[in-house]
Amino acid sequence: MRAIQRLSKGSNQPAGAVERLYRLVEADLAHVNALILERMRSDVPLIPELAGHLINSGGKRLRPMLTLAAAQLCGYQGLGHIRLATAVEFIHTATLLHDDVVDESDLRRGKAAAHVIWGNAPSVLVGDFLFSRAFQLMVETGSLRVLNILSNASAVIAEGEVMQLSTMRNLGVSEETYLKIVAAKTAALFAAAAESGAVVAQADGLREMALKTYGHNLGIAFQLVDDALDYSGREAMMGKAVGDDFREGKMTLPVIHALANASAEEVDFWRRTMAQRTQTDADLTHAIHLIDKHQSIAATLTRAKQFTEEACRGLNVFPDSPMRRALSELAEFCVNRAY
Amino acid sequence: MRAIQRLSKGSNQPAGAVERLYRLVEADLAHVNALILERMRSDVPLIPELAGHLINSGGKRLRPMLTLAAAQLCGYQGLGHIRLATAVEFIHTATLLHDDVVDESDLRRGKAAAHVIWGNAPSVLVGDFLFSRAFQLMVETGSLRVLNILSNASAVIAEGEVMQLSTMRNLGVSEETYLKIVAAKTAALFAAAAESGAVVAQADGLREMALKTYGHNLGIAFQLVDDALDYSGREAMMGKAVGDDFREGKMTLPVIHALANASAEEVDFWRRTMAQRTQTDADLTHAIHLIDKHQSIAATLTRAKQFTEEACRGLNVFPDSPMRRALSELAEFCVNRAY
């Protein structure tokens, strides 16, 4: 229930939406959580210690839930989706550990990031360990197609992360480039999580594609909302610091939008703070003011809403069912959590 | 030929040994090198740039050569071993990129380490990319057994690296613990490289096991010699700085041996320099002097020789052939390069 509480904080009506999905996959998710604990074990104590710090920190388990939900929606009766969902969560955790080193973020899910406590080296290596564990789990499913989907996604995620690094502090980044980065670094795993659930259930190509499309669009919407919250959210709700993206010079849609509508003086502000990263404490407040002035959060969320609508349209190949409705509501909630 | 030149520098007779192996796999290795170049491509320019810096820096391609040699020794006629050997090299390269971040080494293969030029973040992420590429290549071989062997090896490597981190600056590390670390962080990939070559060739269990044993023992010997060279080698020959392990407080066999034979005063020296890492420029010279005094390099190499002998014994299940002889000579060379 901890995951639900975290998700529902700061919003009213949407909590029910995630809870409905959660109820539908609850039994499977309990198996996933047990398998996570089992497979992060190692004779080297630092590994479960560090991995557990992040894995037990109230993450939403959104991606493994997608895998479980997709498999169920396709009528799957076996147990392969448990391993698969665990693999998906391990890949996600590995990328978080590496991201925190890359971003130099101090907070993750409301706790000190692992690299702050243990240093960069163990964070990198435990990330590698979890990534390997993910592939071991996939091998156990015996499905080369699943391995294909998730190894492709992993490569795309890494490409997206490097692409993002390459565009840091670059005021010339377009919305198109930003969306390309988001599609790679975030949506690829959402898409793979949902698609591979369909594959393990041996669904036909149409349903596979529908779930992949759903995951892809949901993932983009999810990241857009995250990027909006980075300027508009409350720290207690997000479990990470407000303004991290600003401090790192990460070009996200709120800034890209505010910059597209900026006066010459405002462009100078963004150049100094984002491109040159010479920031004072008051600058974040001013950045939020400018983003507010140009209604850039609203613009970002409108864009996110388009992606969630696209996500839901993808589900139309499935007959109406509690699971289909839960997935639609999840997509809507994904944007509503920002209001 | 560059790989050969690098390997043969600083030694006389053994060059022929590696060259013989090289000649036997030369045609396959050319395919591997072409596939490496093809698969490190990405639309994100920083990826091939950074990966290429390391991959084109005259690495020995020892691990992929093992895969190619093992497949040939088992009479393989197909092409799957090319993809497999490329995957093995990518896993190796990924671990090198992450190791350099972890170790904070400034030199790798005689060039500035990637993280010195581009920073830690891209080194971590490009490592992840190459790791993912490795799994994509393995998926293409269509062999779940190969995927199983190499995903297991990857998890063990990460465990070994974390184990090594946990024992840094710890003067109480025993030779047994050290060998456990070496078996995990280095020998696991040698063993998997050789074993998976046999698997792709559909060799029987006895031959598979023989090649795995060969790789395992060769890998341990290889690391022991590397650790000896870190105190006794010449920088130009090694392509990395002498004394790196000393500076990092890494507990390797030369130090463990010297410490086991140390006077009280010498123990104090090791405690100050290794455990507390308060080192002056003259300390490395004194450390080398103590290692020399207790003949700890000789002891390390004697141990290495035992492992190479074990490696060669493993090959006895194969009838005599130029390839078997080349692999035996490689094992002998592995130790002789230190003299």
Side-chain angles (χ1 to χ4, degrees):
Chain A
M1 279 309 295
R2 203 170 157 196
I4 304 300
Q5 284 158 4
R6 281 289 315 291
L7 260 182
S8 57
K9 255 184 215 168
S11 54
N12 306 317
Q13 146 264 4
V18 186
E19 186 148 346
R20 246 186 300 281
L21 176 62
Y22 178 80
R23 291 279 169 237
L24 290 170
V25 298
E26 195 172 9
D28 288 347
L29 198 57
H31 289 298
V32 170
N33 281 326
L35 195 55
I36 285 175
L37 287 178
E38 185 191 315
R39 295 306 172 89
M40 72 185 202
R41 272 189 214 141
S42 165
D43 290 340
V44 187
L46 182 53
I47 290 178
E49 197 182 324
L50 193 154
H53 174 80
L54 182 54
I55 284 176
N56 301 323
S57 62
K60 298 177 284 290
R61 305 276 195 265
L62 201 52
R63 294 156 189 82
M65 275 208 276
L66 273 187
T67 303
L68 300 174
Q72 251 190 59
L73 191 63
C74 297
Y76 184 57
Q77 299 288 337
L79 285 170
H81 63 326
I82 306 292
R83 285 204 174 91
L84 190 49
T86 306
V88 165
E89 183 67 3
F90 277 169
I91 291 177
H92 175 54
T93 310
T95 62
L96 288 187
L97 283 171
H98 288 183
D99 272 9
D100 284 343
V101 171
V102 165
D103 289 349
E104 298 169 7
S105 326
D106 290 341
L107 275 181
R108 167 70 71 183
R109 294 177 180 164
K111 291 166 75 174
H115 74 106
V116 175
I117 304 175
W118 289 280
N120 282 343
S123 292
V124 170
L125 297 173
V126 174
D128 291 349
F129 175 79
L130 292 176
F131 200 54
S132 305
R133 276 279 187 265
F135 276 92
Q136 288 179 307
L137 283 159
M138 287 184 258
V139 169
E140 289 173 26
T141 68
S143 165
L144 279 165
R145 285 216 46 221
V146 156
L147 278 153
N148 187 33
I149 290 167
L150 278 158
S151 60
N152 288 346
S154 299
V156 169
I157 292 167
E159 277 183 311
E161 297 276 0
V162 178
M163 215 191 306
Q164 177 170 270
L165 270 186
S166 308
T167 58
M168 288 283 208
R169 311 182 201 184
N170 176 356
L171 296 194
V173 172
S174 64
E175 180 175 334
E176 192 193 340
T177 300
Y178 164 78
L179 286 174
K180 221 169 131 181
I181 292 170
V182 168
K185 75 164 187 166
T186 307
L189 189 55
F190 276 79
E195 184 187 10
S196 58
V199 168
V200 86
Q202 299 189 287
D204 59 38
L206 194 68
R207 289 171 179 224
E208 256 180 51
M209 184 52 76
L211 281 161
K212 180 181 177 176
T213 303
Y214 171 82
H216 170 79
N217 286 291
L218 179 70
I220 294 183
F222 184 84
Q223 186 63 57
L224 284 169
V225 172
D226 241 36
D227 292 348
L229 285 170
D230 202 80
Y231 288 94
S232 63
R234 276 167 294 140
E235 204 157 307
M237 177 184 134
M238 296 196 296
K240 60 180 186 178
V242 170
D244 267 353
D245 293 345
F246 179 69
R247 278 182 287 270
E248 290 162 23
K250 200 181 274 178
M251 295 301 297
T252 59
L253 194 50
V255 171
I256 293 169
H257 182 272
L259 196 54
N261 295 283
S263 68
E265 194 188 335
E266 288 169 12
V267 170
D268 284 346
F269 169 81
W270 291 115
R271 183 172 301 118
R272 172 176 64 78
T273 56
M274 295 290 278
Q276 296 158 6
R277 275 181 86 182
T278 46
Q279 300 179 3
T280 67
D281 286 347
D283 285 334
L284 175 61
T285 308
H286 189 59
I288 291 172
H289 163 73
L290 292 179
I291 283 170
D292 196 42
K293 174 181 163 188
H294 295 297
Q295 301 188 288
S296 305
I297 295 297
T300 302
L301 295 180
T302 299
R303 206 80 186 80
K305 211 163 161 28
Q306 292 165 354
F307 283 100
T308 59
E309 282 162 8
E310 189 65 28
C312 292
R313 257 196 301 280
L315 295 177
N316 285 340
V317 303
F318 294 95
D320 183 39
S321 70
M323 183 58 91
R324 195 187 92 171
R325 261 171 282 149
L327 287 173
S328 291
E329 284 167 8
L330 173 69
E332 285 155 24
F333 162 69
C334 174
V335 176
N336 291 337
R337 73 188 167 119
Y339 290 106
Chain B
M1 280 307 294
R2 204 171 157 195
I4 305 302
Q5 283 159 4
R6 283 286 315 289
L7 260 182
S8 56
K9 256 183 212 166
S11 54
N12 305 317
Q13 146 263 3
V18 187
E19 185 147 346
R20 246 187 300 279
L21 176 62
Y22 178 81
R23 291 279 168 239
L24 290 171
V25 299
E26 193 172 10
D28 288 345
L29 198 57
H31 289 297
V32 170
N33 281 327
L35 195 55
I36 285 174
L37 287 178
E38 186 192 314
R39 294 306 173 89
M40 72 184 201
R41 272 190 213 140
S42 164
D43 290 341
V44 187
L46 181 53
I47 291 178
E49 196 182 324
L50 193 154
H53 174 80
L54 182 54
I55 285 176
N56 301 324
S57 63
K60 298 178 283 289
R61 305 272 195 268
L62 200 52
R63 293 156 191 82
M65 275 209 277
L66 273 187
T67 304
L68 299 174
Q72 249 189 61
L73 191 63
C74 297
Y76 184 57
Q77 299 288 337
L79 286 171
H81 64 325
I82 304 293
R83 285 204 172 92
L84 191 50
T86 307
V88 165
E89 183 68 4
F90 276 169
I91 292 176
H92 176 54
T93 310
T95 62
L96 288 186
L97 283 171
H98 288 183
D99 273 8
D100 284 343
V101 170
V102 166
D103 288 350
E104 299 168 5
S105 327
D106 291 341
L107 274 180
R108 169 68 72 183
R109 293 177 180 163
K111 290 166 74 174
H115 74 107
V116 175
I117 303 175
W118 289 280
N120 282 342
S123 292
V124 171
L125 297 173
V126 174
D128 290 349
F129 175 79
L130 292 176
F131 200 54
S132 304
R133 277 277 187 267
F135 276 92
Q136 289 178 308
L137 283 159
M138 286 183 258
V139 170
E140 289 174 26
T141 67
S143 165
L144 279 165
R145 286 215 49 219
V146 155
L147 278 153
N148 187 33
I149 291 166
L150 279 157
S151 59
N152 289 346
S154 298
V156 169
I157 292 167
E159 277 183 310
E161 297 276 1
V162 178
M163 215 189 309
Q164 177 170 270
L165 271 186
S166 307
T167 57
M168 288 282 209
R169 312 183 201 182
N170 177 354
L171 296 194
V173 172
S174 64
E175 179 175 336
E176 192 194 340
T177 301
Y178 164 79
L179 286 174
K180 222 169 133 182
I181 292 171
V182 167
K185 73 163 190 168
T186 308
L189 189 56
F190 277 78
E195 185 187 9
S196 59
V199 168
V200 87
Q202 299 189 286
D204 59 39
L206 194 68
R207 287 169 182 227
E208 257 181 53
M209 185 52 76
L211 281 161
K212 180 183 178 176
T213 303
Y214 171 82
H216 170 79
N217 286 292
L218 179 70
I220 294 183
F222 184 84
Q223 186 63 56
L224 284 168
V225 173
D226 241 35
D227 292 347
L229 285 170
D230 201 80
Y231 288 93
S232 64
R234 275 166 296 140
E235 204 158 306
M237 177 182 133
M238 297 196 295
K240 60 180 187 180
V242 169
D244 267 352
D245 292 345
F246 179 70
R247 277 183 288 271
E248 290 162 24
K250 200 180 276 179
M251 295 300 296
T252 59
L253 195 49
V255 172
I256 293 168
H257 183 272
L259 196 53
N261 295 282
S263 68
E265 194 188 337
E266 288 169 13
V267 170
D268 285 345
F269 168 82
W270 291 115
R271 184 172 300 119
R272 172 176 63 79
T273 55
M274 295 289 277
Q276 297 159 4
R277 275 179 85 182
T278 47
Q279 300 180 4
T280 66
D281 286 348
D283 285 334
L284 176 61
T285 309
H286 189 60
I288 292 171
H289 163 72
L290 292 180
I291 282 170
D292 196 43
K293 174 181 163 188
H294 295 297
Q295 301 189 288
S296 304
I297 295 298
T300 301
L301 296 179
T302 299
R303 206 82 185 78
K305 208 161 162 31
Q306 292 165 352
F307 283 100
T308 58
E309 282 161 7
E310 189 65 29
C312 293
R313 256 195 302 279
L315 295 176
N316 285 340
V317 303
F318 294 95
D320 183 40
S321 70
M323 183 57 90
R324 195 187 92 170
R325 259 171 283 147
L327 287 173
S328 291
E329 284 168 7
L330 173 69
E332 285 156 23
F333 160 70
C334 175
V335 176
N336 290 337
R337 74 188 167 118
Y339 289 106

